[in-house]
């Protein structure tokens, strides 16, 4: 029976069992190899690598080894517990100053529990200088500090850092693992659980959102409305512009609150009585603005890619031609397009779409990329 705090780690039996042995060892002050001071969690997007790290942090400081209900567990997850620090990416990278601050705070030791836990999400985004600063801390571990690093793959992390960490890899959960979880833990019925599991493509947060968050469904519906509206060159260009605008609006929703809070906090920290900003204050504000812009750009890309990923599952359904479809709620559109077009045309577009998603990570124009996809989709949607 595993700790409650690990319940959301769907399909990660091996990872959970390693973490549970570590917790038992830590609790019993065992000198065995199960517990160590630095861990690296890798896994594809949506597999839950940072949730695994946060759950481990909670289980280490919770008096009941991760009950998932007490204040320690709750605040550990949020990063507001005095002994748990969660470092996420502010801008596009984690800078040396941020790592230095975390390292110097880690020297304080734990205050309420036995450990001081530092979670670094996206540690693949550390600058080289930041990575070297972290490496020094890992080489001279303090007895109380536990480092939990997260990255998409092992190759994203410097070998010198990698070699200091115990590595745990999370796999993409299968559709049936996700479906079981949604039924057991979220009380979904079998039909909606299976649809959510297929649509999410192994992304557990997406599957949960599909069931629980009405805005998630509204967003998905709107994305497919754009796609189905594409029947000519003109409508392809209009739909592309709308999709980009939509991605920007969604990114705005996701960032505005946090941006405002950050700016206000920084401004009040920089205020020195009636004389206005302290020296260097203007620069600090400018730097923050730059970081926020970089974050916004990253999230817009993320939004566009999310839509394109939905389109690619749709094209895969069209290619298959018969169910069970990933997007079973769109079966009439899938069957129409599938019956009106040759499989060669659909598979060529699917390949093109994956190239387009790849180009989205570069500085290529997002609008032109989306247009180029819609222009190729128009004849398929027309049946010509
Ligand atoms: Zn607890």
């Amino acid at each position: 029976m595993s700790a409650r705090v690990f319940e959301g780690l769907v399909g990660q039996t091996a990872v959970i069992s390693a973490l549970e042995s570590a917790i038992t060892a830590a609790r019993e002050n065992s000198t065995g190899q199960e517990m160590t001071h630095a861990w690296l969690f890798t896994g594809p997007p949506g597999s839950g690598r940072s949730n695994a790290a946060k759950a481990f942090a909670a289980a280490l400081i919770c008096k009941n080894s991760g009950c998932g209900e007490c204040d320690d567990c709750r605040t550990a997850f949020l990063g507001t517990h005095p002994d748990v620090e969660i470092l996420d990416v502010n801008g596009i990278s984690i800078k040396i100053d941020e790592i230095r601050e975390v390292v110097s705070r880690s020297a304080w030791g734990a205050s309420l529990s036995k450990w001081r836990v530092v979670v670094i999400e996206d540690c693949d985004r550390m600058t080289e200088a930041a990575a070297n600063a972290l490496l020094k801390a890992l080489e001279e571990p303090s007895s109380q500090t536990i480092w939990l690093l997260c990255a998409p793959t092992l190759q994203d992390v410097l070998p010198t850092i990698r070699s200091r960490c115990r590595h745990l890899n999370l796999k993409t959960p299968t559709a049936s693992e996700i479906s079981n979880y949604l039924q057991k833990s979220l009380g979904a019925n079998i039909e909606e659980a299976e649809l959510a599991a297929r649509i999410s493509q192994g992304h557990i947060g997406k599957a949960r959102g599909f069931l629980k968050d009405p805005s998630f469904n509204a967003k998905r519906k709107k994305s497919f409305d754009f796609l189905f509206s594409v029947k000519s060159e003109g409508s392809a260009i209009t739909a592309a512009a709308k999709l980009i605008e939509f991605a920007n609006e969604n990114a705005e929703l996701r960032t505005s609150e946090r941006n405002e809070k950050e700016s206000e906090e920084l401004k009040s920290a920089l205020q020195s009585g009636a004389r206005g900003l302290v020296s260097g204050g203007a620069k600090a504000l400018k730097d923050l603005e730059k970081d926020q812009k970089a974050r916004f750009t990253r999230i817009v890309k993320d939004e566009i890619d999310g839509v394109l990923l939905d389109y690619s599952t749709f094209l895969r359904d069209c290619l298959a031609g018969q169910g069970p479809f990933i997007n079973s709620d769109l079966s009439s559109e899938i069957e129409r397009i599938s019956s009106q077009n040759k499989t060669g045309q659909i598979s060529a577009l699917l390949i093109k779409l994956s190239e387009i998603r790849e180009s989205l990570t570069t500085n290529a124009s997002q609008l032109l990329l989306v247009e180029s996809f819609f222009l190729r989709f128009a004849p398929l949607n027309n049946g010509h």
Side-chain angles (χ1 to χ4, degrees):
M1 187 59 205
S2 61
R4 286 283 306 277
V5 86
F6 294 132
E7 251 172 37
L9 303 178
V10 179
Q12 314 298 341
T13 335
V15 169
I16 294 175
S17 108
L19 294 178
E20 302 227 296
S21 315
I23 290 158
T24 310
R27 188 128 309 224
E28 292 165 357
N29 290 319
S30 148
T31 50
Q33 297 298 304
E34 292 87 356
M35 185 59 193
T36 183
H37 75 281
W39 298 73
L40 174 59
F41 295 83
T42 60
S47 61
R49 54 181 189 254
S50 66
N51 275 336
K54 289 177 199 169
F56 187 32
L60 281 169
I61 57 156
C62 166
K63 288 169 193 71
N64 305 308
S65 303
C67 66
E69 281 165 355
C70 69
D71 269 351
D72 286 335
C73 280
R74 262 199 303 271
T75 52
F77 250 94
L78 297 170
T80 53
H81 191 284
D83 293 334
V84 177
E85 180 155 16
I86 299 174
L87 184 67
D88 63 354
V89 187
N90 256 320
I92 33 175
S93 59
I94 300 177
K95 300 188 185 72
I96 183 166
D97 293 347
E98 293 173 82
I99 293 293
R100 276 196 187 132
E101 276 171 34
V102 180
V103 169
S104 75
R105 277 197 296 272
S106 76
W108 297 347
S111 60
L112 297 177
S113 49
K114 195 168 151 191
W115 308 103
R116 184 174 175 84
V117 189
V118 183
V119 178
I120 304 184
E121 296 186 85
D122 305 307
C123 84
D124 52 309
R125 290 178 189 268
M126 281 190 290
T127 62
E128 205 183 324
N132 286 324
L134 175 64
L135 182 61
K136 272 192 78 181
L138 296 180
E139 280 168 345
E140 299 153 17
S142 97
S143 59
Q144 281 190 315
T145 307
I146 309 292
W147 296 91
L148 307 180
L149 316 181
C150 312
T153 71
L154 212 50
Q155 287 68 41
D156 294 316
V157 184
L158 282 181
T160 44
I161 289 189
R162 227 150 72 190
S163 67
R164 302 265 158 200
C165 300
R166 172 87 43 88
H167 176 222
L168 292 178
N169 184 47
L170 286 87
K171 64 183 188 71
T172 302
T174 64
S176 73
E177 283 165 341
I178 293 184
S179 167
N180 283 339
Y181 164 73
L182 297 175
Q183 291 173 63
K184 252 175 59 189
S185 298
L186 301 185
N189 69 44
I190 182 155
E191 286 83 23
E192 57 182 9
E194 285 184 351
L195 177 60
R198 283 195 303 270
I199 286 174
S200 70
Q201 293 285 291
H203 195 301
I204 192 76
K206 239 180 156 177
R208 229 185 270 122
F210 182 78
L211 280 181
K212 296 280 166 195
D213 181 0
S215 71
F216 185 93
N217 282 309
K219 215 163 136 177
R220 179 166 179 274
K221 184 176 178 310
K222 205 158 174 188
S223 306
F224 278 109
D225 285 347
F226 293 146
L227 184 70
F228 300 141
S229 76
V230 171
K231 299 210 153 130
S232 62
E233 201 172 298
S235 54
I237 288 169
T238 311
K242 281 188 182 162
L243 194 158
I244 299 294
E245 197 188 321
F246 185 55
N248 276 274
E249 284 166 13
N250 288 326
E252 184 69 41
L253 280 175
R254 280 171 61 183
T255 53
S256 61
E257 200 177 316
R258 178 171 171 183
N259 286 355
E260 261 169 48
K261 195 168 157 252
E262 282 173 353
S263 305
E264 265 166 39
E265 278 173 6
L266 184 62
K267 270 181 204 153
S268 72
L270 293 171
Q271 225 39 260
S272 94
R275 288 177 305 154
L277 293 181
V278 297
S279 84
K283 184 180 177 302
L285 279 172
K286 246 200 185 119
D287 284 349
L288 177 65
E289 241 169 64
K290 225 171 98 192
D291 278 352
Q292 290 177 339
K293 261 195 197 132
R295 181 167 66 207
F296 183 77
T297 309
R298 180 161 59 82
I299 291 177
V300 170
K301 274 188 189 173
D302 193 46
E303 288 285 331
I304 299 172
D305 190 58
V307 175
L308 297 183
L309 180 62
D310 283 345
Y311 292 172
S312 85
T313 65
F314 177 79
L315 288 177
R316 275 165 55 191
D317 281 339
C318 295
L319 199 56
Q322 33 177 252
F325 295 127
I326 302 167
N327 302 281
S328 53
D329 54 334
L330 300 171
S331 54
S332 64
E333 298 286 5
I334 294 167
E335 278 158 7
R336 179 179 63 79
I337 289 174
S338 180
S339 65
Q340 288 172 354
N341 295 282
K342 296 199 178 81
T343 50
Q345 289 169 292
I346 302 171
S347 67
L349 184 57
L350 197 51
I351 293 166
K352 185 70 203 168
L353 182 54
S354 88
E355 288 168 14
I356 289 172
R357 288 183 59 211
E358 193 65 34
S359 306
L360 201 60
T361 59
T362 68
N363 283 328
S365 156
Q366 297 162 348
L367 181 63
L368 291 180
L369 287 172
V370 175
E371 267 178 16
S372 75
F373 170 69
F374 280 159
L375 286 168
R376 285 176 171 85
F377 180 71
L380 268 72
N381 198 26
N382 260 337
H384 295 309

